[in-house]
Amino acid sequence: MKHLLKMLDLSSEEIYDLLDLADKLKSDRKQGIPHPILKGKTLGMIFQKSSTRTRVSFETGMYQLGGYALFLSSNDLQIGRGEPVQDTARVLSRYLDGIMIRTFAQKEVEDLANFGSIPIINGLTDFCHPCQVLADLMTIREFKGKLEGLKMAYIGDGNNMANSLIVGGLKTGMAVSVATPEAYEPDKIVLDYASKQKDFNLTHDIKEAVKDADVVFTDVWASMGQEGEAAKRRVAFNGYQISEELLKFAKPDVMVQHCLPAHRGEEITEAVFEAHSNEIFEEAENRLHIQKAVMVTLMK
């Protein structure tokens, strides 16, 4: 494993190795056991899209590992404003030990990996969100004790979260059922992969997707960069909401996960969000631990 670019690149064994390491790092942290595994290393953090959780969790994680995190906003770089990505990759490779990038196009992340000589971590693109989904899998395993044999349901936009959850769930032995409105299905590349696996279902019926689910996911109806489509999307996604009524179709001990920020009253009701807030905020915390596991695996 040289980079973390997308879930499709990871084997099942690599996913489970990352989850096991994250569990250990979380346990060490809770017990106050120092683990400066990346002492003297520097992570460059490129943000073409802003994010509270991504910046704080990577920066804090790098500090806990004994290294240093360098924040680079779009104003600090020439990417997209004259300097080819391949040149930026080769220059930064001479200064840094790893790069985390949060941006729009998946190609930009892939190009950094192709032309640079240091590990690249995808902090989010429009295609996928591997760090978040690894944290989600870690959280499910904490609460349920296993992944294999469980059913995951996703309700909402077939966006980067849906793309990554489908692949992550199937690769760890879960059944995955996704419900989206028409014209908002997941990426064709992901659906081609999923169609060759057992236990995958794509539907427009939210009750069918949630039936007997062990864990239910959702995400905002309009992601960053789609603000201009918000009104149109509210119409298209009307009814694609996780509510107490919908969860009656899931198993009685169903978990609910949300990558945040949550828009209460749109994709999830206030009552469901608050009833499952312990699981949701544990999921948010686990971004810290799984990203530390990714950095240790790639940069030590």
Side-chain angles (χ1 to χ4, degrees):
M1 182 177 169
K2 294 182 179 179
H3 309 282
L4 177 62
L5 305 181
K6 55 186 179 296
M7 294 300 291
L8 284 165
D9 296 337
L10 299 182
S11 67
S12 298
E13 183 180 8
E14 287 171 332
I15 294 173
Y16 274 106
D17 285 347
L18 288 170
L19 299 181
D20 291 343
L21 179 55
D23 286 346
K24 181 182 185 310
L25 292 170
K26 183 174 184 178
S27 175
D28 286 351
R29 177 69 184 167
K30 299 293 183 186
Q31 297 177 67
I33 301 172
H35 39 265
I37 305 168
L38 297 184
K39 184 179 181 182
K41 304 274 188 177
T42 302
L43 175 75
M45 304 188 302
I46 300 174
F47 282 85
Q48 307 279 29
K49 280 184 173 182
S50 60
S51 170
T52 303
R53 281 167 296 283
T54 299
R55 179 175 178 179
V56 174
S57 56
F58 267 104
E59 201 163 322
T60 301
M62 200 58 188
Y63 175 78
Q64 292 176 5
L65 291 168
Y68 179 73
L70 180 65
F71 175 76
L72 299 165
S73 73
S74 57
N75 294 329
D76 300 317
L77 296 167
Q78 297 300 314
I79 295 178
R81 288 186 286 124
E83 183 173 69
V85 173
Q86 53 264 45
D87 289 354
T88 301
R90 286 180 284 190
V91 170
L92 294 182
S93 293
R94 291 171 180 257
Y95 301 148
L96 303 168
D97 300 290
I99 294 173
M100 185 286 297
I101 177 168
R102 182 178 168 96
T103 188
F104 294 90
Q106 179 70 19
K107 185 176 184 304
E108 198 167 307
V109 177
E110 305 274 352
D111 283 349
L112 278 176
N114 288 334
F115 293 105
S117 57
I118 56 177
I120 305 299
I121 300 170
N122 182 347
L124 176 142
T125 65
D126 290 345
F127 176 68
C128 63
H129 198 354
C131 289
Q132 179 63 57
V133 169
L134 288 168
D136 298 342
L137 295 172
M138 178 181 177
T139 310
I140 296 168
R141 196 168 71 157
E142 279 183 349
F143 279 80
K144 297 292 186 182
K146 63 177 184 178
L147 295 172
E148 192 168 4
L150 299 181
K151 178 180 177 180
M152 168 197 296
Y154 176 88
I155 307 298
D157 190 12
N159 59 11
N160 49 9
M161 279 302 301
N163 292 336
S164 300
L165 283 167
I166 291 169
V167 179
L170 292 173
K171 287 197 172 190
T172 52
M174 301 178 76
V176 179
S177 189
V178 173
T180 71
E182 290 187 27
Y184 292 92
E185 291 87 357
D187 191 279
K188 183 179 182 302
I189 294 172
V190 171
L191 293 181
D192 286 346
Y193 164 80
S195 67
K196 298 170 186 169
Q197 315 300 315
K198 63 176 184 179
D199 295 330
F200 175 71
N201 177 49
L202 176 63
T203 178
H204 302 304
D205 184 338
I206 61 174
K207 294 176 183 175
E208 177 187 333
V210 166
K211 188 175 186 302
D212 296 328
D214 296 283
V215 55
V216 177
F217 283 87
T218 190
D219 193 8
V220 293
W221 292 344
S223 300
M224 190 178 295
Q226 298 172 330
E227 292 82 358
E229 302 176 24
K232 175 186 172 186
R233 282 174 167 264
R234 275 195 292 275
V235 173
F237 285 85
N238 184 33
Y240 284 80
Q241 182 188 65
I242 297 183
S243 63
E244 290 171 299
E245 286 300 311
L246 179 64
L247 292 183
K248 290 178 181 175
F249 293 88
K251 288 183 177 174
D253 62 345
V254 65
M255 287 177 64
V256 174
Q257 297 277 263
H258 194 303
C259 61
L260 302 175
H263 292 178
R264 297 165 174 82
E266 290 193 357
E267 75 275 4
I268 190 168
T269 65
E270 174 85 21
V272 170
F273 184 90
E274 291 302 331
H276 294 270
S277 59
N278 183 46
E279 300 153 10
I280 291 169
F281 288 104
E282 197 70 32
E283 174 191 13
E285 178 188 326
N286 283 341
R287 282 285 300 275
L288 168 67
H289 307 297
I290 196 70
Q291 288 166 187
K292 286 170 67 178
V294 170
M295 289 189 287
V296 168
T297 300
L298 296 178
M299 295 171 60
K300 70 179 178 183

